[in-house]
Amino acid sequence: VTGPLDRLVRALTRLPGIGQKTATRLAFHILRAPEEQADELSRAVHEVRTQIRLCSVCSDLTDQDPCAICTDARRDGALLCVVSQPQDVLALDRTGTFRGRYHVLHGVLNPLEGVGPEELKIHQLLRRFEAREIQEVVLATSPSVEGDATAMYLHRLLSPMGLRVTRIASGIPTGGEIEYADGITLSRALTARREM
Amino acid sequence: VTGPLDRLVRALTRLPGIGQKTATRLAFHILRAPEEQADELSRAVHEVRTQIRLCSVCSDLTDQDPCAICTDARRDGALLCVVSQPQDVLALDRTGTFRGRYHVLHGVLNPLEGVGPEELKIHQLLRRFEAREIQEVVLATSPSVEGDATAMYLHRLLSPMGLRVTRIASGIPTGGEIEYADGITLSRALTARREM
């Protein structure tokens, strides 16, 4: 076996979490799959690189500007959810629980790594409040040191504008065991306890 | 997020062992990777489908006919290793232990699934003995019911031709524990015991 198959195995091993064995298995699958399946994969890889850019409104990834969520009239324009990365929009929107719009920061504040407010899409975020349609901002960065710091920073920035600023809940995940939860999660869950 | 990214995630989930989460992770990696890495993957998928065919001598997958192994003059022409599938050539040759040539059957005998000798590349195998260069045939089908039956069949077919016919060893794998080996492997390992 030479040439093209080796090159495909090599290209696949560059993907995260794909080792030599998995790459070989995938390559042989691609070799034997129906022609249109391989064509589709090849085309999808190419198109994702050539057609995807950032939405000029929300900074999410999109192939049309503004993106499908920003132009969707059925969305609640009074609700804006701020997330750190495009994957988070996917994960949150898949739940079907949130029907507002999103804003993607493309990172979280991290002074040690030189990420300040200028490096995030905060300018673009502030511009969105000019239309006075948005009433509540849900800060949905991860409950990590940097995610919390970013939420805190945005809270200070946005509260004076007369907006309702909320933070996504953090606590013991559904199905998680109290016994095995880490201390920080447990103490957060206790602090954030609610009336039943 | 719409269009191209969704299509890439969908194309990736069609690969074996790749679920929604892994596909999403891979898609975002492809989106952010250096341009040439994505190009290479797209091209490799396309080329593996358009350039790879079967070697007219050994039936292995190749982009040149005869394949690189069949035309490699440094290989021992007296030694032929018969395997069931192209992946097995890769795995065996990677060891560097075998420096002969290969023949790929493209399956094993399986009467229940309608796979008889005619469905395998046995015609092509027999043709290779006309040159009288080959002296030993190593039957390297897997030690399964079908793999053993196929080896047995080929043994009967080839022994009368004055060839040395050998079978790849089967037993407890290196690093394996006697305690956890299955009964069939254990009894095979006992039967195939050798002088130290």
Side-chain angles (χ1 to χ4, degrees):
Chain A
V1 179
T2 54
L5 193 59
D6 281 338
R7 281 198 294 276
L8 179 56
V9 171
R10 231 178 307 128
L12 289 167
T13 49
R14 294 222 176 91
L15 297 175
I18 308 280
Q20 174 88 10
K21 279 199 182 176
T22 307
T24 305
R25 193 164 45 82
L26 296 178
F28 277 103
H29 174 90
I30 289 166
L31 191 56
R32 292 210 189 103
E35 179 118 35
E36 63 279 13
Q37 202 176 313
D39 279 355
E40 191 181 73
L41 178 60
S42 172
R43 212 171 334 110
V45 169
H46 179 72
E47 288 182 358
V48 92
R49 294 300 302 234
T50 50
Q51 297 179 6
I52 295 235
R53 52 191 184 281
L54 299 190
C55 171
S56 59
V57 177
C58 74
S59 297
D60 195 6
L61 299 167
T62 181
D63 62 333
Q64 54 182 91
D65 191 17
C67 76
I69 292 181
C70 284
T71 53
D72 183 350
R74 293 162 307 176
R75 296 269 174 171
D76 183 352
L79 256 180
L80 186 69
C81 181
V82 178
V83 298
S84 129
Q85 47 175 6
Q87 289 95 310
D88 301 337
V89 175
L90 274 184
L92 288 165
D93 216 57
R94 215 180 272 138
T95 67
T97 304
F98 182 80
R99 299 305 293 166
R101 298 207 173 91
Y102 296 90
H103 192 83
V104 182
L105 297 174
H106 287 273
V108 280
L109 294 177
N110 192 337
L112 288 178
E113 294 193 2
V115 184
E118 290 298 315
E119 275 69 48
L120 305 181
K121 304 289 183 187
I122 291 181
H123 251 325
Q124 290 86 338
L125 174 63
L126 295 178
R127 232 193 296 141
R128 298 185 70 170
F129 301 112
E130 287 166 12
R132 307 198 163 272
E133 193 189 359
I134 298 164
Q135 287 162 24
E136 178 180 347
V137 179
V138 184
L139 301 174
T141 51
S142 298
S144 60
V145 173
E146 292 84 8
D148 283 340
T150 308
M152 194 72 78
Y153 175 87
L154 291 175
H155 177 236
R156 280 198 208 135
L157 201 66
L158 304 177
S159 305
M161 299 169 68
L163 294 158
R164 189 176 168 217
V165 182
T166 56
R167 181 92 174 95
I168 196 168
S170 143
I172 297 157
T174 310
E177 304 269 7
I178 305 260
E179 182 181 354
Y180 301 123
D182 65 283
I184 297 169
T185 299
L186 273 180
S187 72
R188 272 190 180 229
L190 282 168
T191 309
R193 67 190 181 277
R194 306 199 304 174
E195 297 291 340
M196 288 182 62
Chain B
V1 181
T2 54
L5 194 59
D6 281 339
R7 282 199 293 276
L8 179 56
V9 171
R10 230 178 309 127
L12 289 167
T13 49
R14 294 220 176 92
L15 297 174
I18 308 280
Q20 175 88 10
K21 280 199 182 179
T22 307
T24 304
R25 193 163 46 82
L26 295 180
F28 277 102
H29 174 90
I30 289 166
L31 191 56
R32 292 209 190 106
E35 178 117 36
E36 64 278 12
Q37 203 175 312
D39 279 356
E40 190 182 74
L41 178 59
S42 172
R43 212 172 333 110
V45 169
H46 179 74
E47 288 183 358
V48 91
R49 294 300 301 237
T50 50
Q51 297 180 6
I52 295 234
R53 53 191 184 280
L54 299 190
C55 171
S56 60
V57 177
C58 73
S59 296
D60 195 5
L61 299 167
T62 181
D63 63 333
Q64 55 183 88
D65 192 16
C67 75
I69 292 181
C70 284
T71 52
D72 182 351
R74 292 161 308 175
R75 296 268 174 172
D76 184 353
L79 256 178
L80 186 69
C81 179
V82 178
V83 299
S84 130
Q85 46 176 7
Q87 289 95 310
D88 302 336
V89 175
L90 273 185
L92 288 167
D93 217 56
R94 214 179 273 139
T95 66
T97 305
F98 182 78
R99 300 306 293 164
R101 296 208 174 90
Y102 296 90
H103 192 84
V104 182
L105 296 173
H106 287 272
V108 281
L109 294 176
N110 191 337
L112 288 177
E113 294 193 3
V115 184
E118 290 298 316
E119 276 68 47
L120 305 180
K121 304 290 184 187
I122 292 180
H123 251 326
Q124 289 85 336
L125 175 63
L126 296 178
R127 233 192 297 140
R128 298 184 70 171
F129 302 111
E130 288 167 10
R132 307 200 164 271
E133 194 190 359
I134 298 163
Q135 287 164 21
E136 178 179 348
V137 179
V138 184
L139 301 174
T141 51
S142 297
S144 61
V145 173
E146 292 84 7
D148 283 341
T150 307
M152 194 71 79
Y153 175 87
L154 290 175
H155 177 233
R156 279 198 209 132
L157 201 66
L158 303 178
S159 305
M161 298 169 69
L163 295 158
R164 189 177 168 214
V165 182
T166 56
R167 181 91 173 95
I168 196 168
S170 144
I172 297 157
T174 309
E177 303 269 8
I178 305 260
E179 181 181 356
Y180 300 121
D182 65 283
I184 298 170
T185 298
L186 274 180
S187 72
R188 271 189 180 229
L190 283 167
T191 309
R193 68 188 181 280
R194 308 199 302 176
E195 299 290 340
M196 287 182 64

